[in-house]
Amino acid sequence: MSRKPNGAIIGIGELKPIRYSEGKTTLSLIAEAVRLALKDAEISKDEVDGLLVGPQVGETPQHVPATVSEYLGIDPTMSNVVDLGGATGPGMIWRAAAAVEAGMCDTVVCVLANKNEKGETLRSPNRNPIREFDVPFGASGANTSYALLKRQHMEEYGSKQEDFARIAYWARKNAQLNPNAIFYGKPAELEDILASPIISDPLHLLEIVMPVAGGTAVVVTSEEKAKRSRRKPVYLKGAGEKITHRAVSQAPELDKLPFNYCIPRALTQAEIEVKDIDLFSLYDCYTSVVAVTLESAGLCKTGEFGEFVKNHSFSHDGDYPLNTHGGQLGFGQADLAGGMSHVIEAVLQLRGEAGDRQIPAAKQALVTGNGATLSETTALVLGGEQ
C-alpha cells in the first residue's frame, strides 16, 4: 500500500474556456486538446499507445474509448473510461502511470472535454438511490447537496458566510493574472460575493462554478522515458484515492470525509509533509469543498478554516498559494475537464511557465479532485524533480 508510483507528465494541452461552444462537438474539443498536448510534449500521435477518457462525451454514451481512438487516429494497447466525477482528471494521472508501470503501454493520453450549447442540457437517466432517499425531500442536484455541506459546517462549527466568501474572492483575484480565465478582467470583492443571489441556501451565486465549454489533455509516460523528453518532466510523487458514499444523505461526518484519507496517503507516498507543498491546486466547484479540503489537508483543524483563510494570502506570492490559475471558480468549469485544469496549473507552475502568476521556485504541488458530493476523491503530489 506504500509503494510509490512511477510516472511523469511530459505534455499538457488546455483550451481557453468559453461560455458557449456554438456548434462544436465534444469530439472536436477532445481532438484539439490532444493536439495541443502532443505538440507540447513534442511527440507524434504514433507514439501514443494508451488512452484514458471520461464518461458521456456528449455524443458517445457507449464505446467511448473506441470512438475517441478512431477519431484521433490512434491504436492504443490500453484504454479505459475513468468515471470519478470531478476527481476524474487527477484519477487519470495515477491510472496512466500504473498502466505504464504494468507494461500495458508506454505513453498515455488522458483527455477530458465538454461542449456547452446554449439551451441544451445533456443528461442520462438517473436511476440510483438518490432518487429514493434524497430527491423526494428536495435534495436534487449539486447546488442543493453542496449547500447542505456548507450548512452543516456552519451549524457544527460556527463558520460564517464571509469565511466561505473569502475563498471565492481569492479565486477571482488570482484569475486576474490568467488571461485564459473566463473571469479574467472581472474581479469580485468580498461584498460582491456576499451580495450575489442565494441559489440554494446558504450558497451564493458567486460561490458556485459557472459551466463553460473547454477541454484538457495530459500526456503521461514512464520516468525513464521522461528523462529523454525534450520537455521538462513533472513527476508523480504520490497518490491517494477514496470513495465513501454517493448520495449526500449517506455522507460521513465532516472529520471523516474521504479527503481525510487520500491527502495524507498521497503525502506519505511522496515522503513529504503538507508544509513542504508550494502550490495547493484544490478542486473548487463550490467554496464549501475548498473549506473542508483545507481542513483535511491538515492546514488547520476541523472547523477552523475560517480563521485560516482570514489570516493568510492565497496569491502566487502569498504564504499559501491556492489555485493560482483562478481555480474553477475563477477559471471556469468545463464539466470533468475542470478537474484536470488543476493538474495543468500544477504542471505550469512546476515547469516555471506560469507567467505573471509564477510561484518563486515551486517544487511540490498538491492536486485534488472531487466527484459527486465529496464522495469520490483523489489527491496527487506532483514534483518538478525526480
Side-chain angles (χ1 to χ4, degrees):
M1 294 296 290
S2 61
R3 182 177 177 181
K4 296 182 69 173
N6 177 353
I9 295 170
I10 60 169
I12 55 174
E14 185 166 47
L15 307 183
K16 182 176 181 177
I18 54 177
R19 187 68 178 97
Y20 297 110
S21 46
E22 298 180 356
K24 291 183 180 293
T25 65
T26 300
L27 281 172
S28 70
L29 296 175
I30 284 174
E32 179 61 14
V34 170
R35 185 188 69 80
L36 293 174
L38 296 180
K39 181 180 179 181
D40 183 64
E42 298 185 12
I43 64 174
S44 71
K45 67 178 183 179
D46 295 334
E47 297 179 64
V48 175
D49 56 358
L51 175 68
L52 293 179
V53 293
Q56 294 289 341
V57 297
E59 304 84 15
T60 314
Q62 276 188 303
H63 311 299
V64 181
T67 301
V68 174
S69 296
E70 180 182 77
Y71 196 80
L72 296 177
I74 61 175
D75 303 306
T77 58
M78 184 285 298
S79 60
N80 218 320
V81 171
V82 182
D83 182 5
L84 291 169
T88 298
M92 284 178 163
I93 305 301
W94 78 256
R95 284 168 171 79
V100 171
E101 190 171 5
M104 294 301 295
C105 52
D106 289 322
T107 302
V108 184
V109 164
C110 308
V111 60
L112 295 162
N114 184 66
K115 68 175 185 176
N116 188 41
E117 296 289 345
K118 194 171 186 177
E120 179 184 31
T121 303
L122 294 173
R123 293 287 183 269
S124 54
N126 193 338
R127 300 187 182 95
N128 59 48
I130 290 177
R131 290 293 180 190
E132 182 176 358
F133 299 113
D134 291 52
V135 174
F137 300 95
S140 176
N143 288 341
T144 303
S145 296
Y146 285 101
L148 288 171
L149 173 67
K150 180 180 176 181
R151 175 60 69 190
Q152 182 182 6
H153 201 286
M154 295 174 74
E155 293 296 326
E156 289 191 17
Y157 301 112
S159 50
K160 306 298 183 184
Q161 286 281 17
E162 53 265 31
D163 298 333
F164 295 92
R166 285 191 178 92
I167 293 171
Y169 161 78
W170 278 108
R172 284 292 194 95
K173 183 177 178 64
N174 288 343
Q176 304 318 301
L177 293 178
N178 184 359
N180 288 330
I182 197 77
F183 287 116
Y184 178 69
K186 299 177 181 178
E189 298 300 322
L190 198 64
E191 295 77 13
D192 299 325
I193 295 157
L194 293 172
S196 64
I198 290 286
I199 300 302
S200 183
D201 190 23
L203 274 175
H204 295 85
L205 176 65
L206 298 188
E207 296 181 82
I208 303 170
V209 291
M210 183 174 77
V212 298
T216 54
V218 174
V219 180
V220 178
T221 190
S222 66
E223 291 183 2
E224 292 72 22
K225 188 171 181 178
K227 292 176 183 177
R228 303 190 296 271
S229 171
R230 288 182 288 271
R231 300 291 295 169
K232 180 182 177 181
V234 169
Y235 296 96
L236 176 60
K237 298 290 191 176
E241 193 167 284
K242 183 74 169 179
I243 296 176
T244 54
H245 61 285
R246 170 59 182 95
V248 68
S249 62
Q250 310 303 312
E253 298 299 317
L254 291 176
D255 61 350
K256 295 181 177 62
L257 291 170
F259 273 134
N260 290 64
Y261 169 85
C262 67
I263 294 176
R265 176 179 168 83
L267 292 170
T268 298
Q269 276 196 348
E271 298 179 349
I272 65 171
E273 298 179 25
V274 71
K275 65 181 179 62
D276 301 316
I277 295 296
D278 300 304
L279 167 67
F280 295 88
S281 199
L282 307 183
Y283 195 90
D284 63 333
C285 52
Y286 295 81
T287 56
S288 49
V289 175
V290 180
V292 296
T293 306
L294 292 171
E295 295 174 356
S296 297
L299 292 170
C300 54
K301 294 181 180 179
T302 302
E304 297 182 3
F305 89 90
E307 282 299 306
F308 182 79
V309 298
K310 182 179 180 180
N311 295 317
H312 294 284
S313 169
F314 296 151
S315 69
H316 70 286
D317 55 358
D319 49 350
Y320 288 94
L322 169 67
N323 292 340
T324 46
H325 64 309
Q328 295 172 95
L329 288 168
F331 180 78
Q333 185 192 60
D335 201 61
L336 301 185
M340 190 71 92
S341 72
H342 295 274
V343 176
I344 299 285
E345 178 65 9
V347 172
L348 290 172
Q349 290 285 357
L350 295 173
R351 283 181 176 179
E353 299 175 358
D356 292 340
R357 64 182 189 275
Q358 180 63 50
I359 299 169
K363 295 181 179 179
Q364 312 275 3
L366 175 67
V367 180
T368 63
N370 156 65
T373 309
L374 279 174
S375 62
E376 306 161 309
T377 61
T378 304
L380 306 176
V381 174
L382 300 179
E385 300 175 359
Q386 191 173 13

